[in-house]
Amino acid sequence: MINRHPEPILWMLFSAGGVVSAMLMPALLLLFGVAYPLGWLAPPSHETMVAVLGNPLTGLVLFGLCVLSLFHFAHRFRHTLYDGLQIKHLNEVIALVSYGSAIVGSVIAAYLLWQVS
Amino acid sequence: MSEGHVYTAYHPRWLRQRISTYWWLEKPAYLAFILREASCVFVAWFVVYLLLLVDAVSGGAAAYAQFLAWSADAPILLLNVVSFLFVVFHAVTFFDAAPQAMVVHVGQTRVPGHLVLAGHYAAWAAVSVFVAWLLASGQ
Amino acid sequence: MGERIRLQVARYRPEQESEATFDEYEVPCPKDWVVLDGLNHIKDRIDGTLAYRWSCRMGICGSCGMTVNGEPKLTCATFLADYAPGPVRVEPLRNFPVIRDLVVDIGDFMRKLVKIKPWIVRQAEKPLADGEYLQTPQELEEFKQYSMCINCMLCYAACPIYGLDPKFLGPAAIALAQRYNLDNRDDGAGARMATLSEHEGIWGCTFVGECTQVCPKHVDPAGAIQRYKLSAAVESMKSFFLPRGA
C-alpha cells in the first residue's frame, strides 16, 4: 500500500539531524571555532578533553550528532542540487554521493570516537 | 497537453514558461530558502572539524595544542565564523518551522505555536549552557 | 496619489504569435479600485479582446488569481492605489500553461484534487435515522483551517518545487487531503495515503513555505504538509517492520 521508496526514513533522519545539529552545534562551534582560537576564553586542558571525550555517554551523543548531522546534510544537499540547480539527470549519482559520503563519515566518526574513549 | 497534440483553431498551443536556473534570485524569500538549504554544507563542515578535534585529542597533548593553534589560523577562523553564522541561521529557521510542523495536544487543547517555539529555544539555551559548563569546569 | 495608473498586461495570442507580449493601458485609479476593476475597465472601454477569469470579485470563488508585480495575488483583493504611481505589471499565474492572455489551464490541479479523494470516506455509512454527525468545537478546529481553501492556485504559483517538477502533488491538494484526514467523521486516511506517500506526493516538498505566505485564506498548506510527513513516515516505518496487523 505504501509505495516502496526510502524518502520517509531519509526525511526522519534529516529532521532528527536538523534538531540535534541546531541544539548542539552553535555552542560547540562558537567555543571551538571562534572563542578559543581568538582567546576570548581559555580552551579546556588536554586532560579535561580526554576525560570528557572518554566518557561513553559523550561518545554516544557525539556519534549521534555526527551521524544525524551528516544525513541531514546529505538529504538537504541532494534536494538543493535537484531543485536549486535542476541537475535532474544526475539524480542517482548525486543521491549516491550524498548518502554515501554520510555513511563513510559515520564510519569514520565511529572509529575516531571509539579510539578516543 | 502532450507533444503529439494537433493544434486547432479551438485548441491552440499553450504557452509554457521555462523556469530559469536562477529562479531563486527572483524573490528575497526564495534566496533566503536557498541560503537556509546551503547551511547544510556548514553543518557537514562542523562534523569534519569536530572529528579532527577528536582525532587531535586522541593523538596526545602536543597534537591537541597543534590543533588549537591551527584553529586560530586566519582561513580556518574565517571559515568557522561563517559556519557559525550559517549554523545559527539553520537553528533559527529550523525552530521557526517547528510550530507549523509539530502540533502538540495536551488532552483536548492544542498547545499554541509560540509555546512550542519557546520550548525549542529554552532547550537550546539549556543545552548550550550545559556544554559551556562541561568544558569550562576543568581548565 | 494620481488619478490614473498604467497597467502593463501580458498578452498571448496563440493564433498570431508564439511568445507573450505586453500591452500598456492607462486606467483610472480611485482609492477603492482593485486590479480586477482595472482589467474590467480595459475590457469594457479600451480593449475588448483581453481574456481573463473572474467571478465573485470578493475573494471567495478563487477565479481571479494572477501575477501582479511578480507576486501571486487575487486581483479582486489587490488595491491599485497600493501600487501608485505604478506601472503595475499583470501576468498570468505562474507555473501553469497559458491558454490566452491571462487565462491559464488548471487541469493538472483538478486531476490531482480528485486523486486525493476530497470527500468524507466512511467505513460504514450512518443511516439517516441515526441523525447527524455530532462534532465538538475542538474537533472542528482540527481541520477547519484547511477547509478554507478556495482553490485559487496562488500556492501553486508561489511554489518553486511545483514549477520545477509539475508532477509534484502541490500545496492545496495536500492541505485538502489533510482537511479530510483530520475530520473525525472521515475514515479515509488509509485510502489517501497511497497518493500522498508517492515520491512526488508530500515527499517532493522541501518546506520553502511560500505557499503559506501567499494564501489569501490563511490555510497554511506548508504546515499541513509537514504535519502529514511525520504521520506518513511513522506509518511507513510500521508497514515496513510490521507488514501485517500494524
Side-chain angles (χ1 to χ4, degrees):
Chain A
M1 181 174 71
I2 312 272
N3 289 339
R4 292 266 178 252
H5 58 80
E7 284 300 323
I9 175 113
L10 293 173
W11 178 82
M12 292 199 89
L13 288 172
F14 156 79
S15 275
V19 172
V20 169
S21 60
M23 290 287 173
L24 281 168
M25 281 194 183
L28 287 172
L29 191 47
L30 185 63
L31 290 171
F32 280 104
V34 183
Y36 299 152
L38 283 176
W40 295 350
L41 287 172
S45 63
H46 185 247
E47 289 77 34
T48 310
M49 289 304 294
V50 169
V52 168
L53 289 175
N55 186 325
L57 198 59
T58 316
L60 213 60
V61 168
L62 288 180
F63 180 64
L65 174 66
C66 289
V67 172
L68 291 173
S69 300
L70 285 173
F71 276 92
H72 170 87
F73 153 76
H75 193 72
R76 221 170 205 178
F77 189 66
R78 168 189 150 230
H79 269 287
T80 307
L81 285 187
Y82 186 86
D83 297 324
L85 297 178
Q86 300 177 251
I87 314 181
K88 292 189 207 252
H89 51 284
L90 291 173
N91 196 26
E92 279 84 31
V93 174
I94 292 171
L96 192 67
V97 167
S98 307
Y99 296 111
S101 57
I103 294 172
V104 167
S106 304
V107 171
I108 295 175
Y111 170 69
L112 288 175
L113 286 164
W114 175 258
Q115 192 188 54
V116 83
S117 65
Chain B
M1 290 300 291
S2 60
E3 284 309 318
H5 184 81
V6 175
Y7 296 112
T8 68
Y10 299 104
H11 195 321
R13 170 187 289 278
W14 292 349
L15 183 65
R16 292 168 200 271
Q17 311 277 24
R18 285 264 168 279
I19 309 277
S20 149
T21 312
Y22 300 104
W23 61 267
W24 42 279
L25 287 171
E26 282 166 24
K27 270 211 292 201
Y30 291 160
L31 181 63
F33 162 70
I34 287 290
L35 286 176
R36 183 192 90 191
E37 302 295 286
S39 72
C40 72
V41 174
F42 298 95
V43 165
W45 156 247
F46 177 73
V47 173
V48 172
Y49 188 69
L50 177 68
L51 293 176
L52 289 171
L53 167 64
V54 168
D55 192 37
V57 170
S58 296
Y64 177 58
Q66 195 182 15
F67 174 86
L68 289 176
W70 171 75
S71 72
D73 278 349
I76 299 295
L77 189 58
L78 186 63
L79 176 58
N80 282 333
V81 168
V82 170
S83 299
F84 173 70
L85 293 171
F86 267 100
V87 164
V88 169
F89 184 56
H90 155 69
V92 168
T93 50
F94 215 78
F95 293 158
D96 265 349
Q100 270 181 295
M102 260 173 69
V103 172
V104 183
H105 286 97
V106 174
Q108 280 281 343
T109 30
R110 186 171 155 161
V111 176
H114 56 269
L115 285 185
V116 174
L117 186 64
H120 279 79
Y121 276 99
W124 189 23
V127 167
S128 303
V129 164
F130 175 72
V131 165
W133 168 82
L134 192 67
L135 292 169
S137 59
Q139 290 296 317
Chain C
M1 210 185 304
E3 288 296 328
R4 302 181 72 78
I5 193 166
R6 269 184 12 254
L7 290 181
Q8 292 169 340
V9 182
R11 302 301 301 268
Y12 173 60
R13 308 170 185 86
E15 71 280 3
Q16 295 173 14
E17 58 214 12
S18 58
E19 289 297 323
T21 54
F22 280 87
D23 282 352
E24 250 189 50
Y25 309 93
E26 214 184 37
V27 301
C29 186
K31 67 171 166 51
D32 61 337
W33 267 34
V34 289
V35 176
L36 180 61
D37 291 321
L39 293 174
N40 281 336
H41 178 90
I42 295 169
K43 181 121 179 139
D44 290 342
R45 298 176 195 266
I46 308 178
D47 181 354
T49 66
L50 180 63
Y52 56 101
R53 288 201 184 103
W54 66 285
S55 184
C56 73
R57 89 267 182 274
M58 64 178 206
I60 195 65
C61 72
S63 306
C64 68
M66 297 176 212
T67 307
V68 178
N69 279 7
E71 292 286 333
K73 297 266 191 203
L74 292 180
T75 49
C76 69
T78 309
F79 288 92
L80 276 177
D82 291 345
Y83 294 92
V88 182
R89 202 170 178 84
V90 183
E91 294 163 281
L93 213 52
R94 294 248 166 87
N95 301 339
F96 289 99
V98 183
I99 300 177
R100 169 181 290 278
D101 294 345
L102 300 166
V103 178
V104 297
D105 173 72
I106 60 167
D108 184 52
F109 168 71
M110 302 310 288
R111 288 183 289 274
K112 286 171 176 160
L113 182 61
V114 173
K115 268 179 25 176
I116 54 106
K117 304 189 201 305
W119 49 78
I120 302 268
V121 173
R122 296 278 303 176
Q123 296 251 8
E125 287 298 334
K126 199 165 141 171
L128 267 178
D130 283 0
E132 328 90 314
Y133 295 107
L134 295 179
Q135 210 169 44
T136 66
Q138 284 90 356
E139 284 162 346
L140 175 63
E141 275 309 302
E142 285 296 300
F143 68 89
K144 186 172 175 188
Q145 190 181 13
Y146 306 132
S147 72
M148 293 292 140
C149 176
I150 60 173
N151 297 2
C152 64
M153 302 291 91
L154 297 193
C155 54
Y156 282 72
C159 176
I161 306 303
Y162 181 66
L164 293 163
D165 183 6
K167 292 203 287 291
F168 176 45
L169 197 52
I174 303 173
L176 283 162
Q178 275 293 70
R179 176 256 173 276
Y180 289 95
N181 285 344
L182 296 172
D183 187 335
N184 69 336
R185 298 169 292 179
D186 175 85
D187 299 322
R192 296 186 188 96
M193 185 161 275
T195 307
L196 291 169
S197 317
E198 280 171 8
H199 193 267
E200 271 92 15
I202 56 174
W203 302 111
C205 171
T206 55
F207 206 164
V208 178
E210 272 305 283
C211 52
T212 294
Q213 291 299 319
V214 302
C215 177
K217 293 297 176 186
H218 312 294
V219 170
D220 188 17
I225 301 175
Q226 304 323 305
R227 283 178 66 181
Y228 192 73
K229 275 185 184 171
L230 188 57
S231 40
V234 168
E235 270 307 309
S236 221
M237 297 293 115
K238 285 206 289 201
S239 83
F240 184 73
F241 289 112
L242 313 158
R244 282 182 238 207

